[in-house]
Amino acid sequence: MPELPEVETVVRLINKSIKSKTISKLTIINKKLRWPIDPSLSVYTKNKNILEIYRRGKHIVFKLKNGYILIHLGMTGIIRFFKKTSVKKIHKHDHYEIELKNKSILRYNDVRKFGSIHWAENIDGHFLIKNLGVEPLSKKLNVSYLYKIIKNRSVSIKNLIMNQNIIVGVGNIYACESLHISGIKPQRKSSSISTEELKKLISNIKLVLRKAIDSGGTTLKDFKKLDGTPGYFEQELLIYSKKYCRCGESVKNIKLGGRSSFYCDHCQK
DNA sequence: ACTGGATCCTGATCGC
DNA sequence: TGCGATCAGGATCCAG
């Protein structure tokens, strides 16, 4: 489910929803995730104040006084928010929950178990964070930064912009969309991209992500619901999962790095 | 150092 | 209707 805009939306909604800033307890329901959940998380977070909740790449970060909770949603991670009094039943794929002082609860559910939760005393040194690339919506993503990287790379440009060590937050859908709008075929070798094309690509990555955040903000209101299978940005997609391009040409779907890659032979060079 | 492919897991959907 | 194959918005690990 989650690329940068979805994670950003979830973070904003959590910030908006939670009234109490104190964690009363963190309970592990099923520790089997991408990495087994460290039981110490419950100890470190008990009765701690939340100083800040923010996003880094596709990670959700809870900053506490004594360290950080790092949450990744994987493919199918969902965070539900509810009052303790209204919900008690544990659902099949629930993995942990964070209870706040005022009895509201954030509960994590993940069908495919590709998500994760970690404790980090020092976030910058954490193995999931330390090698992350630049935030795409920041000024750090610019032509000179990316040109230095692409000029010596033979990997496809789509896989390159999805590489979290280079740019964070861009996943399969938004990679396809950005390349489509930029008129670039996803399978092109990174080194073959001209500076003109790169300039276009960078500004379109930013554009697509911003638009998706905007629409996520208005349509993802029901993220509390477990069945909140998101359809938010879907209506705005131009190429991902489409049969036909706007130009009328049928859309091609090839595998790159094992992922479906949609493009239009006519509109993308 | 870089690259493509296999891999983790469950459930929905597709084709026969 | 049933059943196996395929696919899913992620990212790590591993061999070459």
Side-chain angles (χ1 to χ4, degrees):
Chain A
M1 157 206 328
E3 298 182 39
L4 185 149
E6 290 74 37
V7 178
E8 177 66 26
T9 304
V10 168
V11 165
R12 289 182 187 183
L13 285 166
I14 293 174
N15 271 316
K16 216 171 69 179
S17 304
I18 66 170
K19 299 283 189 291
S20 167
K21 290 285 188 185
T22 307
I23 295 173
S24 55
K25 62 176 175 182
L26 186 154
T27 308
I28 298 164
I29 300 161
N30 173 3
K31 66 173 184 192
K32 221 167 119 48
L33 279 179
R34 185 86 161 81
W35 291 273
I37 302 176
D38 178 2
S40 308
L41 260 165
S42 301
V43 181
Y44 296 140
T45 57
K46 196 170 179 60
N47 298 322
K48 294 295 186 301
N49 286 328
I50 300 167
L51 303 183
E52 196 185 347
I53 302 169
Y54 63 95
R55 179 191 60 74
R56 171 72 175 110
K58 298 176 192 172
H59 298 265
I60 300 168
V61 182
F62 284 67
K63 183 181 182 184
L64 312 183
K65 207 172 175 180
N66 53 333
Y68 302 80
I69 304 172
L70 305 180
I71 291 172
H72 197 289
L73 302 176
M75 289 273 234
T76 50
I78 288 174
I79 295 175
R80 282 186 298 161
F81 175 81
F82 51 78
K83 295 282 175 191
K84 196 184 180 183
T85 46
S86 66
V87 183
K88 46 278 157 198
K89 197 179 155 202
I90 301 288
H91 187 272
K92 190 169 180 191
H93 297 294
D94 286 343
H95 288 272
Y96 61 86
E97 66 179 30
I98 298 171
E99 186 181 327
L100 304 170
K101 268 284 188 281
N102 68 350
K103 301 293 184 196
S104 57
I105 287 178
L106 296 166
R107 186 181 290 169
Y108 182 82
N109 182 280
D110 190 345
V111 172
R112 291 179 70 187
K113 303 178 171 60
F114 288 166
S116 63
I117 180 168
H118 283 90
W119 175 256
E121 268 177 34
N122 176 352
I123 191 170
D124 295 324
H126 193 269
F127 79 102
L128 287 174
I129 302 290
K130 67 178 178 192
N131 294 321
L132 290 179
V134 297
E135 285 287 338
L137 296 178
S138 77
K139 291 194 170 139
K140 289 184 177 174
L141 177 59
N142 55 52
V143 174
S144 74
Y145 169 76
L146 207 50
Y147 188 72
K148 281 188 199 118
I149 296 171
I150 66 162
K151 67 177 181 192
N152 298 318
R153 299 288 210 109
S154 65
V155 72
S156 70
I157 185 65
K158 172 165 176 273
N159 283 351
L160 186 132
I161 61 174
M162 287 173 66
N163 183 336
Q164 302 299 300
N165 295 335
I166 298 171
I167 306 170
V168 297
V170 179
N172 203 30
I173 290 183
Y174 299 118
C176 288
E177 294 295 313
S178 306
L179 286 162
H180 175 66
I181 299 174
S182 305
I184 301 168
K185 284 195 173 81
Q187 66 270 46
R188 291 260 305 276
K189 279 185 191 308
S190 297
S191 56
S192 79
I193 304 296
S194 70
T195 43
E196 257 334 283
E197 289 175 314
L198 190 61
K199 206 172 152 187
K200 216 184 294 179
L201 178 58
I202 288 172
S203 71
N204 282 324
I205 288 172
K206 292 173 190 275
L207 179 73
V208 166
L209 294 176
R210 284 211 184 91
K211 278 178 68 177
I213 290 173
D214 287 347
S215 90
T218 57
T219 56
L220 192 60
K221 285 201 177 85
D222 58 352
F223 89 109
K224 305 163 193 174
K225 285 190 296 185
L226 182 60
D227 66 347
T229 7
Y232 19 110
F233 194 62
E234 212 180 323
Q235 60 281 15
E236 304 201 35
L237 297 179
L238 297 176
I239 198 79
Y240 184 86
S241 83
K242 296 289 181 191
K243 268 210 153 53
Y244 297 99
C245 179
R246 287 172 295 168
C247 75
E249 202 79 0
S250 48
V251 168
K252 298 258 192 310
N253 180 4
I254 59 169
K255 293 282 179 199
L256 290 173
R259 316 292 300 277
S260 286
S261 308
F262 298 86
Y263 71 98
C264 172
D265 236 337
H266 177 249
C267 298
Q268 294 169 252
K269 302 297 169 199

